[in-house]
Amino acid sequence: MAIQLFDSLKREIRSLQPSQPDGVFRFYNCGPTVYAPAHIGNFRAFVINDVLRRLLELEFGAGKVKHVRNLTDVDDKTIKRARDEGRPLAAVTREWTDKFHADCVALNCLPPHVEPTATGHIPEQVDMIDVLMKKGNAYRAADGSVYFKVSSFDDYGRLSRVKERELQPGNALKAAAADADEKEDVSDFALWKAHKDEDGDNSWDSPWGRGRPGWHIECSAMSKKHLGETIDLHTGGVDLLFPHHENEIAQSECCNGRTFALHWFHNEHLLVDGKKMSKSLGNMYTLDDLVAKGFSPMALRYALLSGHPRKQLNFTLDSLHAAESALATLHGFRSSLPASGIVHDAFASVFTALKDDLNTPAALGALFTIINRRSGEVDLASFDQAMFALGLDLEKTTAPKSEVPAAVQAIAEKRWAAKQAKDFATADALRKDLAATGWSMLDRKDGYSLEPLKK
Ligand code: AMP
Ligand code: ZN
C-alpha cells in the first residue's frame, strides 16, 4: 500500500509518489521563525513532519527523499527582537537557530537534508520578483516596495477558498492580508519591502531600491532553488494555509508557469485549555518548561503523536504522564526481545496506520496490541523499525517509573484511541476489560493515568 495522505488543495486523501524520473521525492516543510524558543505547538508541526519524513524514507529509500525545511531569519519579528536587544540580527537568529536545533535533537527529529535561510537567498528572491515584475504580476509602489497583484492570478484562493469566503468586505482576514497603504488593492501582498528606519542595517540592494524580501517569497525561492519548480509535497501548520501558502502558489506559478506543489498537507494546532497556544495568551510552553517539570522530551514527542495530525490536540500535563508510562512499558518490552537481525512484518499494522493518512494515534494503539499479543515473530529488529518510524528513542526516556504490565497498557492505549475517535461504546467496553485485569484508568481532560484497583 502506498502512503496515503490528505491533500489540503484537492481536499481528498491521495497517494504520495515521486513525480520525477530520478525517483527522488521532493518535500518542503515551512520551518521556524528564529527569534525566540519554538513552543511545543511549533514542535507538533515538526514532530508530525518528522514522522512523515521517516515514513517516506522507509517507503522510497533513504537516498530517495529530499527534505528541505527553511529558517525564517529576517522578518518584522526577528528585526524587532534584534532592535529591542540592541544586537545584530545575525546574532539573535544564530542563538535561536542553535536552540531550535538542540530541541530538535532532544525530540529526535531528523535534520532536513537542506536547511536554507532567507538571508542566504536574497539574490534568488530578487530574481523571482524581477520575473514577476516583467510578467506583469507585480508592481512597484511609490515608496519602493513591490507588491504581488492578486488579480493577475486567476487561480488565487484555490487552496484556502479565500475568494469565496474570507476576502469579503469587512472580514478580519482582509485586514490580515492588508500590510501597507501603498497597495493598489487590499489583497495584494508584499514581495519586497522598502527600507524603513526601524529595519536598521537589515536591508539589501535591489532593482527597486534598498529593502528586504517579504515573508512569502522566501519559501517560493528556496523551494525552487533546492527542489526545482515542481515539488511533490509542501507542508506546514494550518495557520500557514492562508495567506502564506496561498501566496507561495501565486508567486511560484506565475513566475515559473507550472504547478508549484503536487500535494499539500497541513497539521492542525496544538491547543492549551481549548485555545491556540500563543505568546500573547500567555499559555505557551517550551520544551525546557516541560523538562523543568521533570518530563522527558521523548514523552512530549509521544504525547504530540497521540492525536490525529489533522485534528486539534488539547495539551495537558496529564497526557505527558500517560506518555511516560507508555514509554516505560515500551522500554521494558524492548529489553525482553530476542535479536534476529531480520525485519519481520510483525508491526505491519503500525505501518498500515501510519500510511493511512498518518494516523499516529492508531499506530500507537496497534503497537500496544502487538506487544500485548506477543507472537513469535516479534523480535528486536522489527520492533526497532517501528520505533524508527515513530522516532521514539527509548534510550532517551527517563528511567522506567511504572510497573504497568504491557497487556494493561495495550488496553489503555486502545481505549484512548477509541475515545479520540469518539467511539464511546468501545471505550466503555475496554474500561471493563481493564477492570478485569485489576486496573482502572483515570480520565483527565486530555490524557489518562493508570492505577491498580483497590482490593
Ligand atoms: P512559525 O515559527 O511561527 O513560523 O511556526 C513554525 C511551524 O509551527 C509552522 O508550521 C506553524 O504552522 C506551526 N504552528 C504554529 N503554532 C502551532 C500550534 N499551536 N500547533 C501546531 N502547529 C503550530
Ligand atoms: Zn513557508
Side-chain angles (χ1 to χ4, degrees), residues 29-35 39-46 72 77 215 235-240 267-271 276-277:
N29 171 213
C30 287
T33 309
V34 279
Y35 72 109
H39 57 64
I40 61 171
N42 298 136
F43 279 114
R44 179 174 198 211
F46 299 126
T72 299
K77 288 183 277 192
W215 169 37
T235 65
V238 279
D239 54 306
L240 299 187
N267 64 273
E268 256 299 346
H269 278 145
L270 185 70
L271 307 183
K276 186 188 170 210
M277 177 166 342

Side-chain angles (χ1 to χ4, degrees), residues 385-451:
Q385 195 196 44
M387 291 298 102
F388 171 81
L390 293 161
L392 296 175
D393 182 343
L394 300 177
E395 298 312 315
K396 282 192 187 161
T397 60
T398 47
K401 282 184 201 158
S402 102
E403 296 297 322
V404 181
V408 174
Q409 189 76 51
I411 303 172
E413 285 292 315
K414 259 176 140 174
R415 186 170 169 273
W416 173 247
K419 258 195 88 175
Q420 291 282 100
K422 297 203 172 8
D423 179 359
F424 299 113
T426 305
D428 282 349
L430 289 166
R431 175 181 281 292
K432 286 186 188 123
D433 293 351
L434 267 179
T437 65
W439 289 77
S440 79
M441 189 160 164
L442 303 182
D443 289 343
R444 308 259 167 76
K445 242 189 190 161
D446 252 316
Y448 65 87
S449 59
L450 288 164
E451 288 196 358

Side-chain angles (χ1 to χ4, degrees), residues 110-303:
L110 297 170
H113 300 106
V114 188
E115 196 175 43
T117 60
T119 57
H121 292 73
I122 301 290
E124 288 83 353
Q125 296 176 75
V126 167
D127 283 353
M128 278 189 94
I129 299 170
D130 201 34
V131 173
L132 291 169
M133 283 289 281
K134 290 187 174 126
K135 287 190 167 183
N137 299 106
Y139 58 91
R140 182 185 185 276
D143 72 339
S145 294
V146 178
Y147 293 97
F148 184 90
K149 195 180 180 65
V150 164
S151 63
S152 73
F153 182 51
D154 283 347
D155 258 1
Y156 193 84
R158 203 148 53 91
L159 180 68
S160 60
R161 292 183 173 169
V162 76
K163 267 191 188 156
E164 297 151 44
R165 324 182 259 118
E166 286 88 351
L167 274 185
Q168 300 297 326
N171 191 295
L173 276 176
K174 188 167 176 174
D179 51 4
D181 302 330
E182 294 85 3
K183 300 191 289 189
E184 289 174 4
D185 188 278
V186 71
S187 51
D188 293 348
F189 58 89
L191 296 167
W192 187 258
K193 295 185 164 193
H195 176 79
K196 289 197 183 117
D197 287 346
E198 57 260 41
D199 293 343
D201 52 9
N202 301 305
S203 58
W204 292 262
D205 283 326
S206 82
W208 318 284
R210 271 192 91 70
R212 59 182 166 97
W215 169 37
H216 314 298
I217 193 72
E218 72 177 76
C219 288
S220 284
M222 291 188 267
S223 171
K224 180 177 179 174
K225 167 141 191 215
H226 298 286
L227 295 171
E229 293 181 344
T230 297
I231 64 174
D232 296 311
L233 175 65
H234 192 124
T235 65
V238 279
D239 54 306
L240 299 187
L241 202 135
F242 181 85
H244 186 49
H245 289 163
E246 195 71 67
N247 293 353
E248 280 187 45
I249 294 174
Q251 299 159 158
S252 293
E253 300 201 349
C254 288
C255 175
N256 304 329
R258 58 180 74 214
T259 303
F260 175 41
L262 297 169
H263 203 122
W264 288 87
F265 180 74
H266 294 93
N267 64 273
E268 256 299 346
H269 278 145
L270 185 70
L271 307 183
V272 175
D273 298 327
K275 297 191 191 80
K276 186 188 170 210
M277 177 166 342
S278 75
K279 261 187 235 116
S280 52
L281 291 173
N283 62 358
M284 194 193 89
Y285 286 102
T286 63
L287 178 61
D288 284 354
D289 294 334
L290 300 178
V291 169
K293 289 182 191 294
F295 295 105
S296 68
M298 214 41 59
L300 174 62
R301 184 177 176 108
Y302 190 102

Side-chain angles (χ1 to χ4, degrees), residues 302 349-350 359-371 410 413-414 417:
Y302 190 102
S349 56
V350 173
N359 193 337
T360 52
L364 293 171
L367 180 67
F368 276 92
T369 301
I370 297 157
I371 288 176
E413 285 292 315
K414 259 176 140 174

Side-chain angles (χ1 to χ4, degrees), residues 94-127:
R94 179 77 259 157
E95 176 187 345
W96 294 112
T97 299
D98 289 348
K99 178 61 182 149
F100 175 67
H101 287 162
D103 287 353
C104 284
V105 168
L107 287 165
N108 209 28
C109 291
L110 297 170
H113 300 106
V114 188
E115 196 175 43
T117 60
T119 57
H121 292 73
I122 301 290
E124 288 83 353
Q125 296 176 75
V126 167
D127 283 353

